[in-house]
Amino acid sequence: MSARDLIVGEAELDSQEEDESFDEDTGEVRLKTNGVNGLNGHIDDSSEEEDDDDDEEAAAAIRKDFIVEDDEEPEERERKRRERKKRRREEREEEEAGLDEEDFDLIGEANPEFERRTANEPKLKRLKRGHKEDRDEHKPKGVENIFDSEEEDEDDYHNQRQPHRADPRNQRDEFADFIEEDFDGPDGAPDDDDADIARTTGRTYTGIKDATGLDEAALEDMKEAFGEGDEYDWALNIQDQEDEAEQHVIDPEDPDAIAKGLELKDVFEPSQLAEKLLTDEDNSIRAVDVPERFQLARKPYKDLLLTDDQFKERGNWISDLLWDRKGLPSELKDPFRKAVAKVLEFMAVDEYEVPFIIQHRKDWLIHSQKIPVTPDPSNPGAPDTVLDAKKLLTHSELWRIAEFDLKFRALVEKRNALTETYTRLQDMDDFQDDILKDMLPTATTMEELQDVQDYLHFQHASRLADLAAMNASSTANGIHRRPGSSKALFERVRSSKVYGLVRAFGITADAFAQNALKEGRPHYTEDPNERPDDLADSENIMDPPDYSTGAQCLKAAKAMFAEEIFLSPRMRKLMRKAYYQDGVIDCFRTEKGLRRIDENHPYYDFKYLRNQQMRDFARQPDLFLRMIRAEEEGLVEIKIRMQNAESFKKKLYSVIESDNFSEVADAWNRERREVLDMAILKLNKIMARGVKENLKNECEDQVAQRCREEFTKRLDQAPYKPKGMQLGTIPRVLAISNGAGAFGREAVCWAWVEEDGRVLENGKFNDLFLGDPERGQEDGVDVKALVKLVERRKPDVIGLSGFSADTRKLYKLLEEIIERKDLRGAEYEDEDGIERTDKLDLIIVNDEVARLYQTSQRAMLEHPGFAPLTRYCVGLAKYLQNPLKEYAALAKDIISITLDPAQSYVPQEKIFRFLETALVDIVNLVGVEINDAVSDWYTANLLPYVSGLGPRKAQQLLKVINLNGGSVGTRAELVGDADQQRIGAVGPRVWANCASFLYIDFDSSDQDADYLDNTRVHPEDYELGRKMAADALELDEEDIEAETSENGLGAIVRKLVRDDQQEKVNDLILEEYAEQLERNFNQRKRATLETIRAELQVPYEELRDNFTLLSSEEIFTMFTGETRDTLYEGMVVPASIKKVGEDYIEARMDCGIEGTIPLSEISSRSDISPRQLFQQFQTVQAKIMYLNRKTLAATFSLREEEVRNPAKKEHDRMPGDWDDAQERADKESMKEKNDVSGRTQRVVKHPLFKPFNSAQAQEFLGSQARGDVVIRPSSKGVDHLAVTWKVSDNIYQHIDVLELDKSSQFSSGGTLKIGGKYTYTDLDELIVNHVKAMAKKVDEMMLDEKYQNGSKAETERWLSTYTEANPKRSVYAFCIDPKHPGYFFLCFKAGQHAQLQSWPVKVVPQAFELQRNMYPSMMALCNGFKLLFTNMQSGKRR
């Protein structure tokens, strides 16, 4: 025993207690003891059995190790030190010689009868706090603990560090954690009592008495002689720390665990770290001094290094892609190429982002030249040349260049890999392939490279197999074989005598392709002397047993030659070119589409579309994307073919055939044509697939670009400008909305928002209407309240919006109140300096951001006590104050905003990528005041879009600024200042990108402040700005030196501003200065000098456009959700009758538009009163005769002859673009199928009612979202309705609804019953409280972490795999039951060897039903299941 064992003795005494383990086979509890004695402090279970000799040895060890005689010689002490060191080394070697887990595993494999140890616990476990009642009671572990969650483990971290020590603090009943949620406090937080869990202190030495057997007096004597025993504690602590570092073990009870190595990934789930951008990769992005967006985009190619030749190739490659769309004169092609090459240099070498290039390298994007002009005799001093400047590249094209750069990197990476593979094949087997040699270096598209790769794997399959065998790998340098590319059949042909018959065709596949492409010298086809069948029957060709007949040989040879043509890179190049030039697209409806796509369907405009060329879709990319979506839904089939396929094939026939005239030549030409037909058939399939995919990507890019352009317009608008104020001034806003409420019947919410964004007041107007003085009717009480509010707060503008057409009525009311009460805005000075006020502005605000804001987590945190509609008003006000900040605060939710009708057909990731570039452009145009961003998170939302930054670097920037004191004095501080002890927030490259877009308000009282830090001028151009200021002030060098030596480098500019002499910079002639800079320093600064001149006069001037007011069409769509394509005059729509008069009817459409039906349009019979024909609340089919999109009003017709003839959309089609014959045939066929069956068709006045059967309802809901509903007639009779709702993909539940209290046979029931258990008063209540409530529960189930997206069999396989990997664990999961809609399976496995079981879980309104028990939530369901299973097991044991 060592002194160390004595010191930690008490800490080990508790290890005498017996540990418990769970037998998963029997469910019994068995005891085990820990009795391993070693250097780690583990002692035998019965310390009382030690001999007295052990105590004497312990005392001797103490004397030997801790008492040093004074007269001991240094040599003696050194000898003893070496002996102790040797002894410790021997003890460690003895310990390491013990059997570890791998040794036991090997023993078990060699001797099956050997009992293997239980597998080690997982090393990392979630830290979980025990409950108070568990700390004093140690219940035996049994079947009760079988369903502890994966996060809840049997032992503690402490046990992992010392596997054989039993810690009484952790021996608690695991069942206590089954339903840990039930013990939480009222707010969801743990009870205060639970926080009193005792924590172990460090080492304690109170156990020395028990360990040594000494009484108190002897112990005191020993302490006086030898000390407390903690003199070497520091050394033991160091040893402990080293041991823990080696084992990577974290003690969760140690408050200093973080300092000792506890990392975030040891505590949080990887998904949580990824969401918060705290993974190791995120930290690496923060640390690397490269713009964040560049790092993320170039991540797949970070190891790729381009050669000088590839640099040049990249510039030409991208220029060619952009040039065709530019439409510039041909003489600008060379300057254009140079501009593209320079931009690539800025991006790839200098690491400059697009905003930096646009702002500070714009001169390289402009081609300027001096053009001589005819001298003007009347103006002899006029210049003889004029400067002609043309912009070569735009903002969008710079982003395209960045995107093309990534595509080129991918191209080069694949080409390099193929080249390396080819080189390795040559090194292994000395051979030369001219096709690879010629085609590989010249491949300029991914399709061409794929052609080369397919050829390589076909032509050299055996060599690649040998290379793979040499490398013990199934790949050759990362070039994976595509599925089905083994080509074993063709390898046999190539290695057999049959291949002689392939050569007998007289021309190779590549030579044939060269002739077709007209490349190189022509190759002539040679005919053999024998006919094909005779040659195939010869012994020189037949190769038994595989090819024992001539027919077999000829068939194999033709297939081989056809495959060689099919895989020829040159042949594919020829076919691809032909498809892009002469390809046409046809659209054919399927049987499913025949029924589903009627004339009112959005896909009808291409149901019979034919003969569409590629350029047709370039003009309307959304059309092709809708066709692709329809094809995915199984409604149409898109076919791509060559327009003149037969003539093209005949030309190829003439190329492959020989020119000889003989019976043998004719026979061989027939075989050649058959081979070519076989190859073209396969080529057509692969070409059509490739063209369709490329066209789809191109159309997606065009739609995404349209979204970007529209989003840029919405971003590029300054705050609403109050009258008399400068552009960019933040207005004070009163925002009002009635939401979706009916005008005049529901409350109107309002919010008052100051210019600093604070919401100072909010409330509701319940009685807001104007009276009629002529009739003695007074105004509503809230009219006075509104007037007082306006007079007290003096808003600059009233913003209004809502969710329905009734908001238009509120707008008219407010407009009338402003006019009648003469409400005016804030006072301002006009151009003559006279104070004046104008009528208060009232505008309708775009509410797309406010709709997202009102239910967002951000709004709830900012205004937790506000109603959703009040938060909606706050969102409207903030949008008026700064649209850019509102859009930036949405982050990735910006994809929820509809910017283009075809936006939904483009992947969201692509849409977000394009929209992010728009945000980056406008944020850098506006700039960010860095100190505002530090103190205001609302402004900080802009930082990720600043050039060079991103979400991660923006976080790092703010963090470092706060560490440096919370403010920034100069831009230079951002890279750090050792003299002032300031840490660098960004690296030099990132700083170069972002410096000019992060500005600092100029404080004239601060001598260290630099005026240029408050401008768009980049620090690299500060010297130019200072020189321009000095020239404007006409200072000589001595004046400049005196001023700067006294007041610093920024003194000249400060003097210019202080003396209010900024306008003098307009007198400077910048052209000569720019020419001098370019001539002497090769710096193009003409545009930069203009920027400096503007910034010296007005720093960071507002460059955004004025706030954009919505057009009538946009307001119409916002309030109704309809567009010109979805609602138009002549259309027949369902309308609900509001009022029936003597000579008119008032009706309302589902979209909220109201209209009238004059007497002449009610019926053809004038002898019948409207009240005899129609009644209030009846739903009728009405034809829109007139639609006013500005006032949201309409005129309808109910006349039968009008309703039967709705207007049809006119389509501008060219002859041959539409298959009229097929359309007529389909209409006749459908008419026959739809003959009247004799049963009266029932109609229910509800927007969700459809005259569908169950199959049609399922088809209709197929493309809808989960939880969507269709109400339809029931086959059970007129007193029943059927409700079909979508549970999940391909799973639909049909609900039978019994109607009671019906006033007539065709009216809806006043009472609706479902299953005799649920009762509702109308269909809306049934949908909300029954169907939507169940859909919500389905969402809750499918979003739970215990839910498995797979079948029951897949879920059970997962359970089995999990329990095999964790033998002592039990696990459960949920999965959907597709055969019983509305049901789920609860699958569980109580141990590795237990049987798989499953219980049904039924979804009911507001709850889950399990074993006839109702549970309101997933947490309650899981806990209830654990209790049910535990009780069941307990019953079995009893």
Side-chain angles (χ1 to χ4, degrees), residues 156-167:
D156 197 271
Y157 274 101
H158 193 70
N159 289 351
Q160 292 179 7
R161 187 174 68 245
Q162 299 178 359
H164 305 295
R165 180 190 302 176
D167 191 338

Side-chain angles (χ1 to χ4, degrees), residues 1362-1412:
Y1362 183 90
T1363 52
E1364 288 174 5
N1366 303 271
K1368 295 177 63 178
R1369 302 288 296 279
S1370 301
V1371 67
Y1372 64 98
F1374 298 91
C1375 63
I1376 200 165
D1377 183 354
K1379 295 183 179 179
H1380 301 90
Y1383 281 81
F1384 290 83
F1385 289 116
L1386 197 169
C1387 305
F1388 57 94
K1389 197 168 188 290
Q1392 180 182 9
H1393 302 293
Q1395 290 185 345
L1396 285 163
Q1397 300 183 59
S1398 64
W1399 289 353
V1401 177
K1402 182 181 179 181
V1403 176
V1404 297
Q1406 312 297 341
F1408 300 100
E1409 182 179 338
L1410 176 67
Q1411 302 289 321
R1412 298 184 180 180

Side-chain angles (χ1 to χ4, degrees), residues 737 739 749 764 803 850-856 859-860 863-875:
S737 177
C749 290
K764 293 183 178 180
F803 310 147
R851 292 194 186 209
L852 297 172
Y853 175 79
Q854 65 171 336
T855 56
S856 67
M860 295 176 185
H863 310 291
F866 287 11
L869 189 55
T870 304
R871 293 198 293 263
Y872 172 79
C873 292
V874 174

Side-chain angles (χ1 to χ4, degrees), residues 689-704:
R689 185 167 61 246
V691 169
K692 183 191 293 186
E693 188 63 28
N694 287 342
L695 184 57
K696 175 187 173 184
N697 290 333
E698 182 63 27
C699 291
E700 287 178 352
D701 288 345
Q702 287 194 42
V703 172

Side-chain angles (χ1 to χ4, degrees), residues 1003-1056:
D1003 183 3
S1004 59
S1005 62
D1006 185 0
Q1007 291 298 317
D1008 294 330
D1010 194 329
Y1011 179 85
L1012 294 176
D1013 281 343
N1014 189 34
T1015 67
R1016 291 184 173 90
V1017 181
H1018 195 277
E1020 70 179 9
D1021 297 320
Y1022 277 9
E1023 284 302 318
L1024 296 178
R1026 291 163 185 159
K1027 177 170 176 45
M1028 288 175 63
D1031 291 344
L1033 292 173
E1034 298 180 357
L1035 300 178
D1036 56 25
E1037 293 185 2
E1038 294 180 358
D1039 295 333
I1040 297 173
E1041 185 177 356
E1043 189 72 27
T1044 54
S1045 60
E1046 181 178 354
N1047 298 315
L1049 294 175
I1052 303 299
V1053 179
R1054 280 201 301 272
K1055 177 178 175 59
L1056 181 74

